[in-house]
Amino acid sequence: MKSDQMDETFQRMDSKGFFRLEIPEKLNMARLIVDYWAQHGRGQDVAIYYMDQQITYQDLKDMTDRFASALHRLGISKGDTYLIRTPNQPEYMVSFLGGQKIGAVPIPTSTMLREYELEHIINNSEAAAVITTSSYIEAIENIRPKCETLKHVIVIGDTPGDQISYADLLKEDAESLPFVETHKDDPAYFLYTSGTTGAPKGVVHGHRFIIGAGDPIGKFTMGLEKGDICGGPTALTWMYALGHNFLFAFRWGVATAIYADERFDSERAYEYIQNCKITIFAGTPTIYRMMLAVKDAEKKYDTGSLKYCLSSGEPLLAETWREWDRRFGVKIIDSMGQTEAHEFCTTQTQLPVKIGSMGKPLPGIEVAIVNDKGERLPPGEMGHLAIRNDHPGLFTEYFKMPAQMKDVSLPNNWYDTKDLAHMDEDGYFWYGARSDDIM
């Protein structure tokens, strides 16, 4: 979608005054965010900066086509799931998007997961393949005999055994790539929760997610426009970074710069912003505090490219926000989100900041504070932080866990985030606590 066409998406209002997001019935995430740009004037624009590489949108289309064709040749087809376990690197993005082109369903996983967690995820999701690197192959091989559905192990780098070489797959001729039609509600990818309250849950997102979440976040939280370069040091397997530093950047036809180091370093983060000319930086409150601890960083490094900094994952302290603004002259946009919905409430680029607040619901997303009966509560009263169930950026199911789906449903068609919050007189939302942490 061209930028002017994307703006038109937000000029339509429904009877309640909410922006409508137009989601086509037939939709494929990868083709929308890669092929579209390659075929509509941005084929030679850089999509990915990584170390000394510059990968254009045309390059990305060619690579994902070849990878999709290779997966198809291996017998992976629409609805089949596959695990990705890599650090932040272009191969992760190509693997994710390439599978989607044939209707297969990628499952990004953290490189920090232990063997029993990986085993649970592979078996629960019925994954047919795993894509990993030579550095992380050992855990996969250790659990491989316990995973009956796992047919293929694809390795980026050296293949120490009978695995399949990722590099060889990218030599596949893409001319034989079949066209696979996908629906907006078809599974596009899974993410698994951390499992702190039980076994990790497979959170399934449909192809509609890329518009339902990507359009309001890209416009109102990130303020994306042609020429932007997004990036940050967090793992792309985390929903926060998966959106901001990958999927939403491509949805808006801009570039992402991959932070290559697996360990965070404050000085390295400043160098990354300076050298890559990052315009939209996604961090966490802890990252900002660590970066502020670098004495005279504002004098040592050129951060003038920054337009906005984004924050999520934990409370953003007032002193962190003020000190960052004082030293760098850049606003940190705080947000509330979940694996199930990405961000739905943020301070947004066009809003006055109320430090400590989650901000307001994003246009196109209906959010409210409700009681146990699903009735809206007045300003100042603590209640369930709820999202309307028809939000197109909301997940479609917990995979094979219908009881857990019922547990997050409230009357009057609300999804219960399991967070407590209140709204003030100006419509800003303020976090309270987890509802399932209260005894």
Side-chain angles (χ1 to χ4, degrees):
M1 212 181 268
K2 296 179 182 177
S3 59
D4 57 343
Q5 291 174 319
M6 296 189 80
D7 286 340
E8 289 172 7
T9 302
F10 300 94
Q11 293 171 4
R12 293 183 289 272
M13 307 279 283
D14 66 17
S15 59
K16 296 180 181 179
F18 285 94
F19 290 92
R20 292 201 317 271
L21 294 164
E22 301 293 337
I23 315 286
E25 290 294 319
K26 297 175 182 178
L27 176 64
N28 183 276
M29 184 182 294
R31 289 198 292 269
L32 180 65
I33 67 178
V34 177
D35 296 12
Y36 180 89
W37 297 116
Q39 296 163 356
H40 288 79
R42 295 195 189 178
Q44 299 311 307
D45 287 4
V46 175
I48 302 170
Y49 292 95
Y50 179 68
M51 297 185 176
D52 59 351
Q53 297 181 51
Q54 294 186 14
I55 300 171
T56 67
Y57 272 98
Q58 185 61 52
D59 295 334
L60 189 57
K61 180 187 183 305
D62 294 342
M63 294 163 76
T64 51
D65 281 352
R66 290 199 297 273
F67 191 77
S69 185
L71 288 184
H72 176 69
R73 181 175 57 79
L74 290 175
I76 294 175
S77 58
K78 183 177 180 180
D80 289 341
T81 55
Y82 62 99
L83 220 70
I84 305 176
R85 187 176 191 241
T86 76
N88 291 355
Q89 57 189 107
E91 292 87 347
Y92 162 73
M93 296 178 171
V94 171
S95 301
F96 187 104
L97 297 166
Q100 286 185 329
K101 285 189 170 182
I102 57 170
V105 186
I107 304 173
T109 57
S110 169
T111 56
M112 298 177 68
L113 291 181
R114 291 157 291 189
E115 289 183 9
Y116 75 89
E117 293 170 310
L118 290 167
E119 181 185 341
H120 167 78
I121 292 171
I122 291 171
N123 287 331
N124 178 257
S125 66
E126 303 172 3
V130 170
I131 300 157
T132 189
T133 66
S134 51
S135 300
Y136 291 103
I137 187 62
E138 183 179 358
I140 299 299
E141 286 300 330
N142 288 344
I143 64 174
R144 194 173 182 179
K146 305 174 187 177
C147 303
E148 293 183 2
T149 62
L150 183 56
K151 299 176 182 177
H152 309 289
V153 177
I154 300 165
V155 179
I156 301 161
D158 296 331
T159 51
D162 62 347
Q163 304 90 3
I164 300 169
S165 165
Y166 172 90
D168 287 347
L169 293 185
L170 274 198
K171 297 175 184 176
E172 183 76 18
D173 180 6
E175 293 299 319
S176 60
L177 176 64
F179 178 81
V180 178
E181 188 172 275
T182 52
H183 185 272
K184 65 179 182 179
D185 294 324
D186 286 341
Y189 69 95
F190 289 19
L191 286 179
Y192 273 79
T193 61
S194 60
T196 53
T197 57
K201 298 189 291 289
V203 180
V204 183
H205 279 279
H207 288 271
R208 68 190 191 195
F209 169 87
I210 194 60
I211 297 175
D215 284 14
I217 292 172
K219 182 176 180 67
F220 296 106
T221 300
M222 303 175 75
L224 291 176
E225 55 190 359
K226 185 175 172 61
D228 276 329
I229 302 176
C230 306
T234 55
L236 292 169
T237 54
W238 179 27
M239 175 61 105
Y240 173 55
L242 174 67
H244 290 130
N245 299 338
F246 176 11
L247 297 178
F248 302 159
F250 292 170
R251 166 61 175 151
W252 287 77
V254 302
T256 186
I258 297 177
Y259 184 90
D261 298 351
E262 289 196 63
R263 284 186 171 275
F264 176 75
D265 178 87
S266 296
E267 300 267 5
R268 171 74 181 99
Y270 283 117
E271 293 171 357
Y272 164 75
I273 292 171
Q274 174 180 276
N275 297 338
C276 297
K277 295 180 169 45
I278 300 294
T279 61
I280 312 295
F281 181 81
T284 65
T286 295
I287 284 172
Y288 290 117
R289 289 195 296 272
M290 292 173 70
M291 292 177 72
L292 286 170
V294 178
K295 185 178 179 181
D296 295 329
E298 66 273 24
K299 299 174 183 177
K300 292 170 60 179
Y301 301 99
D302 180 5
T303 59
S305 61
L306 290 175
K307 289 168 43 181
Y308 297 107
C309 290
L310 313 175
S311 180
S312 194
E314 58 183 291
L316 177 65
L317 300 179
E319 52 265 38
T320 303
W321 192 97
R322 292 193 180 99
E323 184 68 0
W324 189 268
D325 183 54
R326 182 185 71 81
R327 290 175 61 180
F328 300 101
V330 179
K331 181 166 69 171
I332 298 178
I333 297 180
D334 199 10
S335 63
M336 177 65 181
Q338 290 189 322
T339 304
E340 290 85 347
H342 209 284
E343 292 171 0
F344 52 89
C345 200
T346 82
T347 51
Q348 302 173 42
T349 57
Q350 82 282 9
L351 291 179
V353 173
K354 286 193 177 186
I355 301 173
S357 163
M358 294 184 282
K360 293 184 177 183
L362 285 163
I365 306 176
E366 191 171 357
V367 183
I369 307 298
V370 302
N371 60 21
D372 292 340
K373 298 178 180 179
E375 299 165 337
R376 292 175 183 268
L377 295 175
E381 192 166 336
M382 190 76 70
H384 299 282
L385 180 61
I387 305 171
R388 184 68 69 179
N389 264 324
D390 58 6
H391 167 40
L394 197 61
F395 76 127
T396 60
E397 64 171 324
Y398 292 123
F399 190 61
K400 297 194 293 190
M401 291 185 171
Q404 282 76 4
M405 287 297 295
K406 185 176 180 180
D407 185 51
V408 295
S409 297
L410 287 169
N412 295 329
N413 200 31
W414 292 108
Y415 159 70
D416 183 6
T417 65
K418 294 296 181 179
D419 290 303
L420 299 176
H422 75 273
M423 182 182 71
D424 67 19
E425 294 287 350
D426 297 322
Y428 284 74
F429 283 63
W430 299 81
Y431 186 76
R434 286 290 294 173
S435 61
D436 47 14
D437 285 346
I438 294 177
M439 297 182 68

